[in-house]
Amino acid sequence: MLDYNILMLVHPSSGEHTFYKFKDANSIVMTDSVGNEPEGETAKHYVLKKEK
């Protein structure tokens, strides 16, 4: 866990980093390494929501 609720995942096979930011109790969004969220038409495709 990094600052500002940013989670960094490291893929073991490639060493590639993926960053996620906790939006609320039910969703996270994929971000860049400093926590900037995607913008524009496709932004909604980067949000993961918890199913109820």
Side-chain angles (χ1 to χ4, degrees), residues 11-27:
H11 297 274
S13 59
S14 66
E16 182 179 333
H17 299 95
T18 306
F19 299 90
Y20 294 93
K21 183 177 183 180
F22 291 93
K23 297 279 288 179
D24 55 42
N26 295 315
S27 62

Side-chain angles (χ1 to χ4, degrees), residues 15-42:
E16 182 179 333
H17 299 95
T18 306
F19 299 90
Y20 294 93
K21 183 177 183 180
F22 291 93
K23 297 279 288 179
D24 55 42
N26 295 315
S27 62
I28 61 174
V29 63
M30 184 183 281
T31 67
D32 64 10
S33 61
V34 292
N36 296 320
E37 297 179 24
E39 297 177 354
E41 278 186 35
T42 60

